[in-house]
Amino acid sequence: MVELKTEQSIDAMREAGRVVAQALTAAREAAGVGVSLLDLDAAAHAVLREAGASSPFLGYHPRFAPVPFPAVLCVSVNDAIVHGVPDAYRLRDGDLVSVDFGAELAGWVGDSAISFTVGTPRPEDVRLIETAERALEAGIAAAVVGNRIGDIAHAIGTVCRAAGYGIPEGFGGHGIGRHMHEDPGVPNEGRPGRGMPLRPGMALAIEPMVIAGGGDGYHQAQDGWTLRTNDGSRAAHAEHTVAITEEGPRILTAL
């Protein structure tokens, strides 16, 4: 079931989205050579506490996971695609980092992700990240009244495949609002003109993920959460929470 949000509800989601944007910025600013992934989680957690918000990630326990998620921030490094668990690993020069964060404020949720490099960037990583960001922009541009979910999926997939990158099969975006994961699902590849029609008041978390090696394969790491590329190549992730409005897509997790 898809809940159509009122203008007031979308404004409330925007406030949660501001917290998300601030926390991702804090995590990125904290990142550097020698900084641990736990330090990044702590930086994001501090923003959450200051805002009086709570985390939809901390303690989240879907059926596929053996244990609840133990942090407020997903930190995925190099060949980790998504759902990376923060630990004592210290960032090294040239690492590619994807951070994903959610916040719940006044009963509404925002969710967003960014990718960046630490220290000296590798040109191939810069291109990978830029492609994820362009795919996100294309998906958002397709999130207009009169289009369908398949139009978003097609826009994302076209950008990713044209660059020669893989797309993790079965993973994509989702509806969002009172809960972090709501209907409908938003695939990162699909046929235009198919799927649920986009209506004013829908809120979607649109999130391209790209694999540098060009394959779509991945596997779950021993922690039961982190998804890693099968070929060991690097991955990038970009995400925004977006509301569908008569005036066009409204990004709710921009800084």
Side-chain angles (χ1 to χ4, degrees):
M1 179 178 175
V2 176
E3 177 189 9
L4 299 180
K5 282 72 176 178
T6 65
E7 185 175 342
Q8 292 74 22
S9 297
I10 292 172
D11 287 342
M13 289 184 67
R14 170 60 177 147
E15 294 309 307
R18 290 185 201 278
V19 178
V20 174
Q22 291 164 2
L24 289 175
T25 299
R28 182 171 189 166
E29 290 177 348
V33 175
V35 175
S36 78
L37 305 190
L38 289 172
D39 292 333
L40 304 190
D41 184 68
H45 209 158
V47 173
L48 201 66
R49 287 193 297 268
E50 178 68 22
S54 61
S55 171
F57 288 17
L58 182 63
Y60 181 56
H61 195 179
R63 285 178 294 178
F64 70 79
V67 296
F69 195 75
V72 301
L73 186 73
C74 294
V75 189
S76 305
V77 181
N78 296 334
D79 67 327
I81 307 167
V82 288
H83 302 165
V85 177
D87 58 19
Y89 175 83
R90 293 190 177 277
L91 293 169
R92 301 170 184 172
D93 186 54
D95 276 347
L96 192 164
V97 183
S98 298
V99 288
D100 188 355
F101 185 82
E104 181 176 349
L105 184 67
W108 296 98
V109 178
D111 185 12
S112 182
I114 58 173
S115 295
F116 55 87
T117 57
V118 174
T120 307
R122 306 191 328 181
E124 57 268 36
D125 290 343
V126 172
R127 178 173 177 265
L128 185 70
I129 293 169
E130 289 177 344
T131 300
E133 293 172 345
R134 285 194 295 108
L136 176 58
E137 291 172 358
I140 293 171
V144 296
V145 176
N147 273 357
R148 293 176 176 265
I149 290 292
D151 294 302
I152 298 175
H154 178 71
I156 292 170
T158 297
V159 171
C160 298
R161 295 300 188 188
Y165 296 138
I167 300 170
E169 185 177 356
F171 277 83
H174 49 87
I176 187 170
R178 299 180 189 274
H179 305 282
M180 179 167 60
H181 292 134
E182 298 182 354
D183 291 334
V186 186
N188 284 331
E189 192 168 30
R191 297 177 63 182
R194 300 296 183 91
M196 181 179 292
L198 302 180
R199 299 169 59 191
M202 292 176 68
L204 306 173
I206 300 173
E207 50 177 324
M209 307 157 196
V210 287
I211 298 174
D216 299 347
Y218 60 88
H219 61 276
Q220 191 175 63
Q222 289 186 345
D223 61 22
W225 275 99
T226 308
L227 299 184
R228 296 190 178 278
T229 63
N230 282 349
D231 61 7
S233 67
R234 295 187 171 194
H237 180 203
E239 178 184 16
H240 269 310
T241 295
V242 179
I244 311 296
T245 77
E246 292 285 7
E247 292 74 33
R250 180 182 176 189
I251 300 174
L252 305 180
T253 43
L255 185 59

